[in-house]
Amino acid sequence: SGCRVFFHKRNRIQGSQVASWSTEILELLGLDSLNVSLIEKPTHFNEMIIPKQIPTPIHQPSPELAAMTDLVRRNVTNYSNFPRSQKVYVSRSRVDADSGRIAGESALEALLASQGFLIVHPQEHSVREQLSIYNNAKHLIFAEGSAAHLCILMPPIQADVTIINRRKGFNAFKHQFRNFNIGCSGIDCVKGMLVAKNRFWPEANGL
């Protein structure tokens, strides 16, 4: 496709390159990564197409979104170049502390590993690898964070999904999964939240 794709640069983004995971997702959709650019200043367009957001609790998936997820699924179904496990924990313990983590997560990882869970740090793997892991799991536990969005790209996954909250009362991921008829439960035992100076609520650390 010759379609040009633009991202706007938010204040928190460092550098002038679009994140590699963003271009990889676009390539799974058949878009050339060379046509992807980051906007850093006011820009005029003769014509612009602004896509809809993924479904919210009150908006159901559209036929266009279903077609998109079908395309992604076809591109990753046979990708098997990574260890697989029926039980997977998707961790945030190796992300920057200011980006939001769960207190004591390393102890939780050790407990889950002793029960046969594969511990996955999504930022260390390609999008294809992550999708392959999630697609082949029977039990998926996420430390609440943006990695869970990837599962929305390839319904229907077969796993039972659990989200461990790091922000009290935050249920957006559960609603997204349920809109795609994916069973999802949540564990919300957050007693408090810590947000670093000059950071934002989405980057809160759960206590």
Side-chain angles (χ1 to χ4, degrees), residues 93-117:
S93 67
R94 295 183 186 174
V95 303
D96 180 1
D98 289 344
S99 296
R101 299 191 301 204
I102 298 172
E105 190 170 8
S106 58
L108 175 61
E109 288 179 1
L111 175 62
L112 291 172
S114 72
Q115 300 299 312
F117 275 78

Side-chain angles (χ1 to χ4, degrees), residues 75-129:
N75 282 332
V76 300
T77 298
N78 297 320
Y79 191 85
S80 58
N81 202 18
F82 192 79
R84 297 183 178 187
S85 175
Q86 291 193 340
K87 299 190 291 185
V88 175
Y89 175 66
V90 185
S91 171
R92 290 182 64 86
S93 67
R94 295 183 186 174
V95 303
D96 180 1
D98 289 344
S99 296
R101 299 191 301 204
I102 298 172
E105 190 170 8
S106 58
L108 175 61
E109 288 179 1
L111 175 62
L112 291 172
S114 72
Q115 300 299 312
F117 275 78
L118 173 68
I119 309 301
V120 173
H121 300 276
Q123 71 277 10
E124 299 175 3
H125 303 289
S126 71
V127 169
R128 285 177 178 269
E129 287 173 339

Side-chain angles (χ1 to χ4, degrees), residues 143-155:
E144 179 228 309
S146 57
H149 285 306
L150 273 185
C151 290
I152 305 302
L153 284 177
M154 53 182 312

